[in-house]
Amino acid sequence: MDFGPFLLLALMEGLVTAAVLALTAVGLALVFGVMRVVNVAHGEFFMLGAVAAWFVTTWIPGPPAVGFIAALVLCPLLVASVAALADTLVLKRLNYDPDATIVATIGLLYILQQAALSLYGPDARPVEAPFTLRVQFPWFGYSGYKLAVIVAAALLLAGVWLLLARTKIGLVMRATQIDRETARAFGINVDRVYAGVFALGAGLAAVAAVLIVPIQQAHYLMGHDPLLLSFIVVIIGGLGSLRGTLVAALLIGLSDGVISVFFSPTLAKILATLFVALVLVFRPQGLMGRRAA
């Protein structure tokens, strides 16, 4: 095969990575943008979604598509409920203090990780894809499911944008983001908004995990890379910038796909981390973030 088909394959793999990464990073960006909370446990919500998907698809009989669709609906709701409970029981009691919430989410990370280890075990387990269609290109065949992941992620991200930009819920979230006390003075239940945002961020991470777990495998330690890459994307795109997060996810995903195919996945992570360092030095607000006044 010539270089061109190899490059096309690498770009397609990069698009799959970018799609899943965008969903995960947008959830992290929403939590920081609205609540000003650095959620170190975000990767564990991703892991929890994947592990829950394995349980759901194992328990539900019938064709793989039935169990997968059930997992795609139930697992994000379950993870979002856990996140809302954590917000109410922990973060709210800390009054969302930036330093205290970092420590609290680190503790939440280990609680979720050890709970998954106890209930799920240390083994990596596969989840069967809902269909096995392959799309035939002139040079190679490619997984139809991976293409479906890209489409599904794009539709979900469009839905998040519509929610934030075109609905009353989005207006309330933006008002809370700008000034929490003024929003509370106008009758907005800030605590409920924060719980909803934290749940939405975790739910998006869980959706991303359910989509990717037929390609990878569910494992109790699988939250590390999504957390690292999500932080890289959010920093590069600009803290609190949804558009910047999407652009950065596309850049990191495509570069990861190309570098991983032609060189090594480790080199891709090293270069992404180096890019973060350069952004922090030369443009601390990120590619599309606003400079602090």
Side-chain angles (χ1 to χ4, degrees):
M1 197 175 354
D2 296 331
F3 175 76
F6 273 116
L7 180 60
L8 176 61
L9 177 62
L11 290 174
M12 293 173 71
E13 289 294 314
L15 280 176
V16 176
T17 301
V20 175
L21 180 56
L23 281 173
T24 310
V26 163
L28 186 66
L30 279 175
V31 169
F32 180 82
V34 176
M35 303 170 63
R36 293 294 184 258
V37 168
V38 178
N39 181 18
V40 184
H42 193 67
E44 302 318 304
F45 290 130
F46 181 95
M47 175 275 297
L48 194 60
V51 169
W54 181 85
F55 278 112
V56 171
T57 55
T58 301
W59 288 342
I60 294 181
V66 175
F68 182 81
I69 291 173
L72 199 57
V73 174
L74 297 176
C75 296
L77 293 176
L78 171 65
V79 175
S81 299
V82 172
L85 184 65
D87 174 84
T88 302
L89 296 179
V90 180
L91 302 185
K92 178 182 174 182
R93 296 177 183 274
L94 297 173
N95 197 31
Y96 303 101
D97 177 75
D99 295 331
T101 51
I102 289 177
V103 176
T105 54
I106 291 174
L108 182 61
L109 180 157
Y110 286 110
I111 290 172
L112 293 176
Q113 192 177 99
Q114 293 305 308
L117 176 61
S118 300
L119 297 174
Y120 176 78
D123 299 327
R125 302 175 187 176
V127 170
E128 190 172 354
F131 56 88
T132 56
L133 173 70
R134 291 189 68 81
V135 178
Q136 190 62 43
F137 290 93
W139 311 279
F140 54 81
Y142 194 73
S143 168
Y145 176 73
K146 289 184 178 181
L147 296 176
V149 168
I150 297 172
V151 174
L155 292 174
L156 287 167
L157 290 168
V160 172
W161 179 81
L162 288 173
L163 175 70
L164 297 176
R166 305 295 184 188
T167 67
K168 185 178 179 181
I169 295 174
L171 180 63
V172 168
M173 289 169 60
R174 294 197 304 275
T176 306
Q177 174 185 6
I178 293 170
D179 192 324
R180 177 172 65 178
E181 297 307 322
T182 302
R184 185 176 279 117
F186 276 89
I188 295 175
N189 190 329
V190 173
D191 293 337
R192 184 177 297 174
V193 172
Y194 278 8
V197 169
F198 202 67
L200 176 60
L204 287 172
V207 170
V210 175
L211 289 175
I212 201 64
V213 76
I215 301 171
Q216 298 179 358
Q217 292 185 340
H219 189 262
Y220 83 103
L221 292 176
M222 70 182 299
H224 293 167
D225 277 356
L227 177 65
L228 172 63
L229 290 175
S230 294
F231 271 120
I232 287 174
V233 165
V234 171
I235 292 170
I236 291 174
L239 295 175
S241 171
L242 182 61
R243 184 175 59 177
T245 299
L246 295 177
V247 171
L250 188 61
L251 290 174
I252 295 298
L254 288 176
S255 63
D256 184 85
V258 172
I259 295 171
S260 296
V261 168
F262 288 103
F263 298 100
S264 123
T266 302
L267 179 61
K269 303 295 186 298
I270 292 173
L271 292 179
T273 306
L274 177 61
F275 191 22
V276 169
L278 293 174
V279 168
L280 290 174
V281 171
F282 295 105
R283 191 174 173 83
Q285 72 271 28
L287 296 179
M288 296 186 180
R290 296 178 181 177
R291 186 180 294 274

